[in-house]
Amino acid sequence: IGAAWKVAAVEPGSSVAVFGLGAVGLAVAQGCRMRGAKRIIGVDLNPEKRDIGKRLGITDFINPNDIGERTVSEVVKEMTGGGADYCFECIGSTSVMAEAFQSSRKGWGKTVVLGVSNGVAPMSIPSHDILMGRSVVGSLFGGLKPKADIPILAQKYVDKELELDEFVTHEMGFNDINAAFDLLTQGKCLRCIIWMDGARENGSVGVENGRACNAKARLTSLSYRD
């Protein structure tokens, strides 16, 4: 959310492409919707991400397996009439970072990199493309200042302007933590709440503050990448 709000400063009526619809990418999509983006294109290999993406702001969905010999950047340029105003890479792949950059519009397109790469491979971008007015920027903690910005987002959640419950797809006890990690690695889970021994049953978490307590827990999970 912070990447759309603070880093990219997405403008109303703009076009966006989000590469990777895990929790980070979906949060970006929601942030872009809140900023007033007109078209938000989600890119993911998992067709199951289409529906939840639509609920969180995605207007169009691209599965790279379904576009034949064309590249994703070619499809995005076709859909947007030249390229997206803002592109967000939320996977951590240098090849996808380059593809996201190529999907941005010449003259002012901005690509924001949020995905964490496991290796040290450089991202390859032709220098003349930079000279054409495009830019690339990284996102650390979504550009948020926790002390000042997290309370703002928490209030938006309390006021039902910000959807966080969709991100919590599973809740498990501490004994099932390994199963929770398996779900994450298999792409079947966005965020899982792990309840410590009996915490959920005895009502010791968030009873008196309701949605406010839930907001704090969910924002702690989401904000540090988004």
Side-chain angles (χ1 to χ4, degrees), residues 92-103:
S93 164
T94 54
S95 63
V96 176
M97 293 174 192
E99 190 67 14
F101 177 81
Q102 293 299 333
S103 301

Side-chain angles (χ1 to χ4, degrees), residues 5 10 20 24 46 52-55 68 100 121 135 152 155-156 174 182 185 189 192 206-207 210 216 223:
W5 172 26
V10 171
V24 176
N46 185 350
I52 189 170
K54 294 282 188 179
R55 295 197 296 271
S135 62
I152 295 174
Q155 187 60 49
K156 288 183 179 295
F174 184 74
D182 289 339
T185 57
C189 174
C192 179
V207 174
K216 183 177 180 181
S223 63

Side-chain angles (χ1 to χ4, degrees), residues 17-211:
V18 182
F19 289 72
L21 298 181
V24 176
L26 290 170
V28 167
Q30 184 174 193
C32 292
R33 180 178 66 181
M34 294 171 68
R35 293 284 300 179
K38 183 178 181 180
R39 191 167 200 175
I40 305 172
I41 303 168
V43 182
D44 202 286
L45 291 168
N46 185 350
E48 296 180 3
K49 295 297 178 68
R50 181 194 297 266
D51 290 340
I52 189 170
K54 294 282 188 179
R55 295 197 296 271
L56 292 172
I58 294 296
T59 60
D60 303 89
F61 182 81
I62 298 174
N63 185 333
N65 289 331
D66 297 336
I67 58 176
E69 298 299 319
R70 293 184 296 171
T71 64
V72 171
S73 60
E74 289 173 342
V75 177
V76 171
K77 288 176 181 177
E78 180 181 311
M79 295 173 71
T80 57
D85 299 312
Y86 305 93
C87 293
F88 296 85
E89 196 283 339
C90 307
I91 298 173
S93 164
T94 54
S95 63
V96 176
M97 293 174 192
E99 190 67 14
F101 177 81
Q102 293 299 333
S103 301
S104 65
R105 186 177 294 271
K106 291 181 179 179
W108 60 81
K110 178 182 287 188
T111 300
V112 181
V113 176
L114 296 95
V116 179
S117 176
N118 292 327
V120 293
M123 178 174 63
S124 177
I125 296 176
S127 59
H128 69 271
D129 283 342
I130 295 291
L131 293 173
M132 293 298 292
R134 295 165 166 172
S135 62
V136 181
V137 62
S139 175
L140 179 64
F141 303 152
L144 296 176
K145 297 178 180 178
K147 187 174 181 180
D149 295 330
I150 294 298
I152 295 174
L153 294 177
Q155 187 60 49
K156 288 183 179 295
Y157 174 74
V158 171
D159 295 339
K160 299 185 179 181
E161 298 175 22
L162 174 63
E163 176 57 62
L164 296 180
D165 295 333
E166 285 273 8
F167 291 89
V168 181
T169 54
H170 296 77
E171 298 186 30
M172 298 181 175
F174 184 74
N175 291 337
D176 296 319
I177 190 170
N178 289 332
F181 279 117
D182 289 339
L183 288 171
L184 284 170
T185 57
Q186 294 166 10
K188 298 179 179 179
C189 174
L190 292 178
R191 287 290 186 265
C192 179
I193 292 179
I194 300 297
W195 294 93
M196 304 306 287
D197 300 335
R200 187 178 188 184
E201 287 73 16
N202 64 31
S204 62
V205 179
V207 174
E208 69 282 1
N209 292 322
R211 287 179 65 86

Side-chain angles (χ1 to χ4, degrees), residues 209-223:
N209 292 322
R211 287 179 65 86
C213 287
N214 288 335
K216 183 177 180 181
R218 286 156 169 75
L219 284 167
T220 298
S221 172
L222 293 172
S223 63

